[in-house]
Amino acid sequence: MKTIRVLAIATLLAGAAACGISPTDVEDRGNAPTAKIPPPSKTIYLIRDGKLTLEPADVEDDTVDSLLGALFDASRKPLLDGRDTALRGFTYLRTKNSINPPQRDEIQLPRTSTLTVYISGEGTLTKIGIAQIVCTAQQDAAFEQVRIVRENPHRPPKLEGRFTCGELK
């Protein structure tokens, strides 16, 4: 029995040494493959010469809420270098998205990719003002569509419409 074991071990060692692949040291061939994700956008859409233009925004992060907050903050400041905004007199309130809808009574509500932006203010919201809001929000590729709802005190909310940046540019 002992002889059979010794013979089996010797056969395994001989087989491993003669497998046809010569042993080598570890070779370093560079970094592991990784995906490069572009940096988040920290830009907002303002107006220059009557057209939309991307401008850098002073925000802490790249969330849609931060970007929209910066967009509406710009409407309260004097802008230089020929830049302007069509959102003067309007205030950004909040957003609500439907990407992860709540579950009610064990029924999952349908998942959509609509962002609802709530604003307040008097006056006419022009097409280029709508484009500023929608195109700034749609820099986040998760949202296919943007709804704008105007909420003013002592009045029911008013849906301004559903938009995409492409149809407004």
Side-chain angles (χ1 to χ4, degrees), residues 139-157:
Q139 290 181 93
D140 184 336
F143 301 112
E144 293 178 15
Q145 191 175 77
V146 177
R147 283 179 40 181
I148 300 176
V149 176
R150 190 185 308 208
E151 288 185 343
N152 287 321
H154 313 297
R155 284 190 239 158

Side-chain angles (χ1 to χ4, degrees), residues 101-110:
Q103 186 169 339
R104 296 200 181 130
D105 298 330
E106 299 188 21
I107 296 173
Q108 181 74 31
L109 297 176

Side-chain angles (χ1 to χ4, degrees), residues 111-123:
R111 179 182 172 157
T112 62
S113 55
T114 301
L115 177 73
T116 304
V117 179
Y118 293 89
I119 63 171
S120 67
E122 300 298 327

Side-chain angles (χ1 to χ4, degrees), residues 17-56:
C19 69
I21 299 173
S22 59
T24 61
D25 291 330
V26 175
E27 293 182 22
D28 188 5
R29 298 269 178 156
N31 295 331
T34 57
K36 293 195 185 235
I37 298 172
S41 170
K42 291 188 177 182
T43 55
I44 57 175
Y45 278 89
L46 293 176
I47 303 167
R48 185 185 302 262
D49 299 325
K51 296 181 182 175
L52 288 179
T53 180
L54 271 174
E55 299 288 337

Side-chain angles (χ1 to χ4, degrees), residues 76-114:
R76 291 188 286 279
K77 300 175 185 172
L79 298 172
L80 306 173
D81 302 327
R83 297 175 301 161
D84 199 6
T85 177
L87 299 174
R88 296 193 193 282
F90 292 96
T91 304
Y92 168 68
L93 300 174
R94 66 187 178 283
T95 59
K96 180 180 175 187
N97 73 59
S98 57
I99 290 181
N100 296 311
Q103 186 169 339
R104 296 200 181 130
D105 298 330
E106 299 188 21
I107 296 173
Q108 181 74 31
L109 297 176
R111 179 182 172 157
T112 62
S113 55
T114 301

